[in-house]
Amino acid sequence: MSRTFLKMNGLGNDFVVVQTLTQSFDPTPEEIRAIAKRDGGIGCDQVIAIDPPKAEGASAYVRFWNSDGEETGACGNGTRCVAWLLMQSAGKTEVAFDTVAGRLSGVAAGEKLVTVDMGPPRLAWNQIPLAEDMDTARVELQVGPIDAPWVHTPVCVSMGNPHVVFFVDAPVTDEFATKTGSLVEHHPLFPEGVNVGFAYVESRDHIRLKVWERGAGLTAACGTGACAAQVAAVRRGLTDRKAKVEFESGALTIEWRESDGHVIMTGPVSMDFAGKLPEAVAA
């Protein structure tokens, strides 16, 4: 039985989205990798399944996989795409849905513009998680030569998935982010791996960011990475509560709301095309 998918993106961070209302979807890691493969597959950063809801008040239960086949807890740009799809199908301007990382909600903010409540960040060392107890606002980690490290003393944040954010003196190149991010992703300090952000604070309401994503590599944009960078910057006193987080592909507006501690993300979604999954990976 063939299965329709939707190809969507948020700031170039792209997704293959399948809905499971009439047909279950339980792919193996190999099948996820086959879908995500850009040479011979459909090509995407993440695969997303929209399942029927499991709890009252939710419109769906949503699962995310990275391109390496591993299931992940959250995806900010993917969350906006899901929220937009659910609002479109229900004719609503707001929606809530559940994930393994908890309940998320979205509100229409304009033409293909969505605001998502990503919930509160997790800041304790064992919530991220780290391998040992330490101050997550000033982590004892450096990369590069001992006497002249490339980056050091990052902030760690979980937005349903683990992030480490290094503050840099100038925007970094793709080459630097790839070289450094690939080293840090599997560092022993991060037992579940980690997403690696390189944040340049241009002003108190503007961050330039590049992210090496756990299980996906260097991506055009990362929604949870933007949330983590803004939370990290506020924790270090570098930005105000609300800031523009800019990638080369565009910008998100992130607010770490003081009233309830939730992280609010606003950004665009784009529908690219629809297609059919190959029979071998449609089950």
Side-chain angles (χ1 to χ4, degrees), residues 210-233:
K210 200 176 290 287
V211 177
W212 174 270
E213 287 196 43
R214 176 186 64 167
L218 192 64
T219 53
C222 176
T224 57
C227 295
Q230 170 62 354
V231 169

Side-chain angles (χ1 to χ4, degrees), residues 1 3 18-27 51-52 63 282-283:
M1 181 174 171
R3 177 192 291 280
V18 298
Q19 301 198 49
T20 70
L21 186 62
T22 60
Q23 185 183 359
S24 64
F25 184 64
D26 296 297
D51 300 332
R63 293 174 289 155

Side-chain angles (χ1 to χ4, degrees), residues 63-160:
R63 293 174 289 155
F64 302 90
W65 291 266
N66 286 329
S67 58
D68 67 352
E70 291 297 315
E71 193 164 354
T72 186
C75 171
N77 287 319
T79 293
R80 288 202 317 283
C81 291
V82 168
W84 184 82
L85 281 175
L86 292 173
M87 287 188 285
Q88 290 292 302
S89 63
K92 296 180 178 179
T93 57
E94 57 184 272
V95 69
F97 54 92
D98 291 325
T99 71
V100 69
R103 180 159 294 187
L104 304 175
S105 62
V107 178
E111 181 66 23
K112 289 193 175 179
L113 196 66
V114 177
T115 296
V116 174
D117 183 343
M118 297 295 292
R122 287 82 158 174
L123 305 177
W125 72 274
N126 56 353
Q127 292 177 317
I128 291 166
L130 302 181
E132 57 184 284
D133 187 353
M134 64 177 64
D135 178 6
T136 62
R138 292 187 176 274
V139 173
E140 298 173 8
L141 175 66
Q142 67 177 42
V143 184
I146 293 175
D147 55 348
W150 307 330
V151 288
H152 63 89
T153 323
V155 180
C156 288
V157 179
S158 173
M159 291 302 310

